[in-house]
Amino acid sequence: MSGPQLTQEELLWCARTTWEAEKAHREIDMLTMTYPQLDRPAGYQVQELRVRLVQEEGHRVVGYKLGSTGLRKRMQMGTTACSYGRLFDYMRMEPGQPLRMDESIHPKAEPEITFVLARDLSGPCVTAAQVMAATDYVAASLEIIDSRYRDFRFTGGDVTADNASAHRFLISARKYSPLASDLSLIGLKFTRSGQICGLAAACEIMGHPARAVAGFVNQFWRETGGLGVKAGQLIMTGGITQAVALARGSRVEARFGRLGPVGLQAV
Ligand code: OOG
Ligand code: MG
């Protein structure tokens, strides 16, 4: 970390800056250009303040999204550190609903497996087996990330402050028991406008996506000073392939073996 820690006022300025950019669909310079000392822990402080700003405008947290849990995402983004962001009610898309480019900056799509909990889970030492036992169902999903930073470039502190680039998400209506078969072996074909852009299996997510959920629950407990994840909340476990850029007219579809297909069109 270089320079003195950020003051509460500076942290709040960072929170406002990325939230305003999200609402205006406008890209901004990295916060670390102004505050080079914004590291990941400071990024989480900003994220907490940003959550409060968003809630003050009447939006509700419905779950969490995990970042850089997938091997290919880590390679794409040049990082090895997992991160998380909040999913809000306004980000949810319904099947058949198009992604509006005029409400986005430079959106990218990535296929993910989403867990929905049947019971509350709290760190500090939750295991993947406990996650499986506490899961109501899993479902195929697409995440649309849309970094507020110019050219989709950022440091770990920047992206954490920017709610891990969260923008929109779509969860398939088909619910699947995580115990019905080996979830880590579920295969996936990801296409954009008919062209294959990813072939993968769920084990790309830390060997098994439940492991990513466990790691997140423990990290969340540490970052928030003891908070847990609630029954009914969604946990998107991270992009299994690389994220692909969308343009007006792009159609992306992820066909997830037993979990079924999920797709959307950008307009
Ligand atoms: C940060 C979010 C990463 C994932 O699934 O790995 C993410 C980013 O790369 O913009 O959502
Ligand atoms: Mg993602």
Side-chain angles (χ1 to χ4, degrees):
M1 185 146 132
S2 54
Q5 293 206 352
L6 298 178
T7 65
Q8 202 60 23
E9 239 164 55
E10 289 167 332
L11 293 168
L12 194 55
W13 179 84
C14 291
R16 278 215 186 89
T17 302
T18 67
W19 171 229
E20 293 300 329
E22 178 178 341
K23 283 192 290 180
H25 328 302
R26 207 173 42 232
E27 58 182 8
I28 53 171
D29 288 331
M30 288 188 289
L31 297 171
T32 49
M33 288 176 70
T34 309
Y35 298 115
Q37 66 272 47
L38 182 86
D39 55 9
R40 273 188 197 271
Y44 280 113
Q45 287 182 280
V46 174
Q47 192 184 124
E48 293 298 329
L49 294 171
R50 191 184 197 281
V51 168
R52 262 174 254 160
L53 293 177
V54 180
Q55 285 172 331
E56 276 164 20
E57 294 188 26
H59 304 296
R60 209 165 51 82
V61 174
V62 295
Y64 303 87
K65 53 151 298 177
L66 314 191
S68 301
T69 52
L71 214 56
R72 295 167 203 235
K73 280 288 297 187
R74 288 171 177 219
M75 279 157 54
Q76 183 178 28
M77 304 313 290
T79 180
T80 54
C82 298
S83 58
Y84 65 80
R86 265 64 170 207
L87 297 173
F88 284 97
D89 48 4
Y90 71 87
M91 299 175 175
R92 182 170 208 135
M93 297 177 66
E94 297 304 325
Q97 184 184 335
L99 175 79
R100 289 185 51 175
M101 291 300 291
D102 64 355
E103 291 180 356
S104 312
I105 304 169
H106 39 208
K108 294 183 185 180
E110 47 192 28
E112 307 203 4
I113 291 178
T114 295
F115 280 59
V116 181
L117 297 183
R119 289 202 299 278
D120 297 359
L121 267 182
S122 179
C125 42
V126 164
T127 64
Q130 287 171 324
V131 169
M132 295 291 276
T135 297
D136 185 5
Y137 63 90
V138 296
S141 52
L142 285 173
E143 190 193 13
I144 308 297
I145 48 173
D146 195 24
S147 172
R148 270 52 73 170
Y149 302 114
R150 207 172 303 292
D151 304 325
F152 230 106
R153 291 166 62 94
F154 42 72
T155 68
D158 287 308
V159 67
T160 305
D162 186 30
N163 197 26
S165 310
H167 179 48
R168 297 282 184 268
F169 64 90
L170 172 63
I171 314 238
S172 162
R174 186 155 150 189
K175 300 175 181 176
Y176 186 77
S177 163
L179 301 170
S181 67
D182 186 347
L183 192 57
S184 72
L185 293 181
I186 288 196
L188 160 73
K189 181 170 90 172
F190 186 38
T191 57
R192 179 180 51 193
S193 304
Q195 305 263 344
I196 294 178
C197 47
L199 290 169
C203 56
E204 297 264 358
I205 305 296
M206 301 175 85
H208 192 297
R211 211 169 275 151
V213 176
F216 156 67
V217 172
N218 297 330
Q219 186 189 5
F220 187 64
W221 186 89
R222 287 193 305 274
E223 296 292 349
T224 60
L227 292 185
V229 181
K230 300 279 176 224
Q233 288 191 314
L234 309 169
I235 304 173
M236 299 192 76
T237 55
I240 301 173
T241 67
Q242 291 204 347
V244 298
L246 298 175
R248 217 163 247 124
S250 306
R251 177 170 172 80
V252 277
E253 187 177 51
R255 301 191 78 87
F256 268 98
R258 282 173 178 238
L259 298 192
V262 60
L264 62 83
Q265 173 109 26
V267 296

